[in-house]
Amino acid sequence: MTSLRIAFNLNNRAVVQLHDGVFTGPAAEVARHIAEALGDVTLKGYPDARSILQDIGSGWDMAFLAADPKRAHLMRFSTPYLQVRATLLLRADNPARTFAEFVATGQSILSVAGAAYHGNLTRLVPESCLIAAESAADARQRFADGDAPALAGLRATFADRPFPETRMLQDDFAIISQAVALAPEAAPLLDTVEIAIHKARLS
């Protein structure tokens, strides 16, 4: 490899943000330590996890993703560097206060196919109640259009209040470990990544 390509999921604001061309957040801090160790590094932002997964093998060497066991045959994961929480965003007038209360109503939930939290939802919610959007942007637009009364996502993302007259549930339906994924050709660099994670925790 010449320049190591590191991918970020910009839909996961709990781990990374992009402002004026500069990446910040816990994932960016780990990436900074990786760059210090390896030198030539190119940072790339993707709109969501699904777009990162579609680009594996050609677009990146390392990526900051949820440590999903179902992806282990495609990539090697580091130890987690952070955990994020997934919940539902509801219209403000929806009476449900907890995930269990909402699921009991049988109402639909918009989610993002390919997102780690979508996998959690498939085990918790009847298939008939799940609407899988193609991307995070598609899910947000369909929620805004009223296609479903609930939108699944990360609590940190919803904290930015992306929609008026909405609120989050009081509880979470998943806690998801975040890790560095290494494409097969980058797997020998796992020890370097683990050291970078350790340094980021100390900084």
Side-chain angles (χ1 to χ4, degrees):
M1 286 178 289
T2 52
S3 178
L4 187 81
R5 302 160 299 175
I6 299 180
F8 296 111
N9 173 8
L10 295 178
N11 189 51
N12 189 346
R13 294 183 57 80
V15 305
V16 68
Q17 304 90 44
L18 179 62
H19 300 290
D20 299 324
V22 178
F23 293 99
T24 60
E29 182 66 13
V30 174
R32 182 177 69 81
H33 288 289
I34 293 172
E36 288 177 354
L38 299 177
D40 192 10
V41 167
T42 300
L43 305 180
K44 304 176 65 176
Y46 286 79
D48 51 37
R50 185 170 188 173
S51 60
I52 292 178
L53 294 173
Q54 290 172 339
D55 214 16
I56 186 172
S58 59
W60 53 269
D61 305 297
M62 296 182 187
F64 286 83
L65 291 168
D68 187 345
K70 292 183 179 179
R71 301 170 181 167
H73 67 290
L74 299 172
M75 59 198 76
R76 183 86 175 269
F77 284 108
S78 71
T79 56
Y81 67 92
L82 187 71
Q83 289 186 320
V84 298
R85 298 174 179 272
T87 189
L88 299 182
L89 188 72
L90 309 180
R91 310 292 177 192
D93 59 356
N94 194 300
R97 289 293 181 267
T98 67
F99 182 74
E101 287 178 7
F102 184 85
V103 171
T105 68
Q107 297 178 79
S108 298
I109 300 171
L110 264 165
S111 185
V112 181
Y117 58 77
H118 183 74
N120 291 88
L121 281 176
T122 61
R123 297 187 291 272
L124 298 170
V125 177
E127 184 179 357
S128 59
C129 294
L130 274 182
I131 302 174
E134 291 296 314
S135 66
D138 180 40
R140 287 192 292 268
Q141 185 59 56
R142 293 176 69 175
F143 180 69
D145 292 342
D147 286 7
L151 175 64
L154 299 180
R155 188 170 288 277
T157 301
F158 292 153
D160 289 340
R161 298 185 180 276
F163 300 97
E165 299 182 4
T166 57
R167 61 174 176 79
M168 289 182 276
L169 289 177
Q170 295 174 349
D171 59 356
D172 308 308
F173 65 81
I175 298 175
I176 304 166
S177 294
Q178 303 294 302
V180 181
L182 292 84
E185 64 272 15
L189 299 175
L190 180 60
D191 286 346
T192 300
V193 172
E194 296 290 359
I195 292 171
I197 290 173
H198 178 69
K199 288 182 176 180
R201 286 172 176 160
L202 296 177
S203 62

